[in-house]
Amino acid sequence: MTTIFRLDASIRRVGSRSRALASTLEGSIRAQLAELDVVRRDVGLSPLPATAWALAVQAGPKAPSERTTEEVEAAALATELADEMLAADAFVFSVPLYNYAVSQHAKAWIDLLVTEPRFTVKVPSPISKRPAYLISARGGAYGPGMPKEGWDHATPWLRRIFEDNWGLDLQLIDVELTLADVNPAMASLRDLAASNLKQAHAAAKQAGERLAARLTKALASEPGQA
């Protein structure tokens, strides 16, 4: 059985471009694999407790017997998050750009996760070299030559965590101009936005096919699977 971990950070259930792209990627993987388990963590619609990170940090240096009930619960939640990650063969991180930065819900998830001893940046990553996809949806345009080039402060930071700290084999799937349909000032960009979204879904589908082939090959090479 192959296991995929999927993180969704969009605050919207309906109309979310990042969710839609993640579902295209997931569907593409599922179409190629006979058995697939998807572990979901939806921090956008079901945020982690706002106090969990601080409590887990406070619990860290204490002996278990010295921790408060709230600290024990926060540390247990961090362990649950770590277990979800460790159980996965590959990862889909669906994180939209909000106010030029990382979604607060995704940031809270990462902050809590790195309090867990197995995911602290001070130790080798236990998930190094596993395949992962970062799906980024951005309302405007932030590429080279655009007026807001460099205003995307989320993607570089997420890459530092996923690639540099956790050692994941990360690929980026992004879509821009997602606000064109609802922002009158962007009306002239709607055709371009539609083309951009179509290309992103095609990229997600192809990525899913490649990932499924990679996972199938890895599974076949395991002892007892040939």
Side-chain angles (χ1 to χ4, degrees), residues 12-13 38 42 47 50 59 77 94 106 111 115 134 137 146 170 178 181 194 203 212:
R12 294 197 299 165
R13 186 185 303 277
V38 179
D42 194 329
L77 180 54
S94 175
D111 285 341
T115 67
L134 171 59
M146 295 295 102
L170 187 72
T178 62
D181 287 342

Side-chain angles (χ1 to χ4, degrees), residues 195-208:
S195 176
N196 193 340
L197 182 61
K198 182 178 180 180
Q199 292 176 17
H201 277 286
K205 182 176 183 298
Q206 293 171 2

Side-chain angles (χ1 to χ4, degrees), residues 142-173:
Y142 300 87
M146 295 295 102
K148 291 186 177 179
E149 177 184 355
W151 284 43
D152 174 2
H153 301 289
T155 303
W157 184 82
L158 288 169
R159 295 190 71 163
R160 297 292 74 76
I161 298 294
F162 297 149
E163 290 183 305
D164 296 344
N165 288 352
W166 294 350
L168 293 172
D169 181 7
L170 187 72
Q171 296 186 46
L172 178 65
I173 299 173

Side-chain angles (χ1 to χ4, degrees), residues 54-72 75 115 117:
L55 288 166
V57 170
Q58 294 167 18
K62 294 183 180 180
S65 61
E66 297 175 344
R67 295 174 179 175
T68 66
T69 299
E70 292 78 10
E71 289 170 349
V72 169
T115 67

Side-chain angles (χ1 to χ4, degrees), residues 6 52 61:
R6 172 173 168 175

